[in-house]
């Protein structure tokens, strides 16, 4: 059997699995129908092998000081994966990725709230009825009050399960040597998302 045939079958299988990954609107509606009230959202970087050329510069994340691909993940309150975004260049900010996927709009349509870290500050500017809760940030001129510190601790506890969701998907060995473009990485990530949920829910 030729190597090209094996690669073609592999790519076809990845595509079939990736097609089973839920769309954002359907994933949120499913959580709402099951009685859920909030989801957990976070962004992360999957490190990739550095490639030469200017095209790879946008994959460099100054925050992580590494080359990689950025993606967003949504989990339910227990840390179970419910949706994964497309892979984007490593320098992409969480808020930028969120705007691309219109997550705030989909959350409002589903009647759900979301807990997020400070990387999502400024995303939801509705003071009276915020959908995305991010906590409080200190600055040189403004120190957090005891009440704000307590609120941040409560939020951190509520957000902790999202890290379990990341751990499940990052356990795949292929991520230790990933070297691909965002389009192919998206298919691979979504295929592994489907396999991860099958494994976790088994």
């Amino acid at each position: 059997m030729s190597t090209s045939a094996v690669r073609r079958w592999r790519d076809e299988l990845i595509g079939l699995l990736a097609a089973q990954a839920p769309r954002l609107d359907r994933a949120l509606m499913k959580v709402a129908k099951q009685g859920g009230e909030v989801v957990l959202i976070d962004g992360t970087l999957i490190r990739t092998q550095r490639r030469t050329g200017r095209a790879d510069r946008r994959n460099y994340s100054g925050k992580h000081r590494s080359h990689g691909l950025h993606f967003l993940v949504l989990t339910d309150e227990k840390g179970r994966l419910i949706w994964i975004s497309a892979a984007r260049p490593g320098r992409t900010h969480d808020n930028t990725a969120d705007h691309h996927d219109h997550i705030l709009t989909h959350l409002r349509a589903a009647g759900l709230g979301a807990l997020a870290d400070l990387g999502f500050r400024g995303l939801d500017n509705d003071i009276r009825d915020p959908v995305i809760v991010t906590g409080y940030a200190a600055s040189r001129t403004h120190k957090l009050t005891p009440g704000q510190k307590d609120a941040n601790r409560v939020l951190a506890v509520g957000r902790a399960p999202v890290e379990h969701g990341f751990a499940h998907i990052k356990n795949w060995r292929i991520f230790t040597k990933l070297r691909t473009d965002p389009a192919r990485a998206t298919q691979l990530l979504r295929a592994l998302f489907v396999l991860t949920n099958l494994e976790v829910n088994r």
Side-chain angles (χ1 to χ4, degrees), residues 53-182:
R54 293 184 177 180
D56 195 45
R57 291 182 181 177
R58 61 180 189 161
N59 290 332
Y60 182 78
S61 169
K63 176 182 177 180
H64 296 91
R65 297 183 180 180
S66 175
H67 285 76
L69 296 173
H70 175 277
F71 70 100
L72 298 175
V73 161
L74 289 181
T75 73
D76 63 13
E77 297 172 77
K78 296 183 179 179
R80 290 175 295 205
L81 294 166
I82 60 174
W83 176 78
I84 188 170
S85 74
R88 295 188 172 88
R91 69 181 183 185
T92 306
H93 191 274
D94 288 340
N95 277 3
T96 303
D98 183 280
H99 283 304
H100 278 296
D101 293 310
H102 306 288
I103 292 179
L104 181 59
T105 302
H106 287 298
L107 285 169
R108 290 193 184 281
L112 295 173
L115 304 183
D117 62 20
L118 293 177
F120 292 87
R121 286 192 74 219
L123 181 63
D124 186 359
N125 293 319
D126 190 335
I127 300 176
R128 295 183 179 180
D129 185 24
V131 171
I132 299 179
V133 179
T134 57
Y136 300 94
S139 66
R140 293 181 180 179
T141 58
H142 173 72
K143 294 183 178 180
L144 297 183
T145 65
Q148 290 173 330
K149 291 180 180 179
D150 288 340
N152 281 352
R153 279 191 287 268
V154 171
L155 180 62
V157 171
R159 289 190 60 258
V162 75
E163 299 300 333
H164 300 303
F166 275 133
H168 284 310
I169 203 164
K170 283 189 172 183
N171 278 340
W172 292 93
R173 191 175 178 182
I174 192 172
F175 289 138
T176 63
K177 51 182 178 180
L178 189 64
R179 184 176 181 177
T180 186
D181 62 88

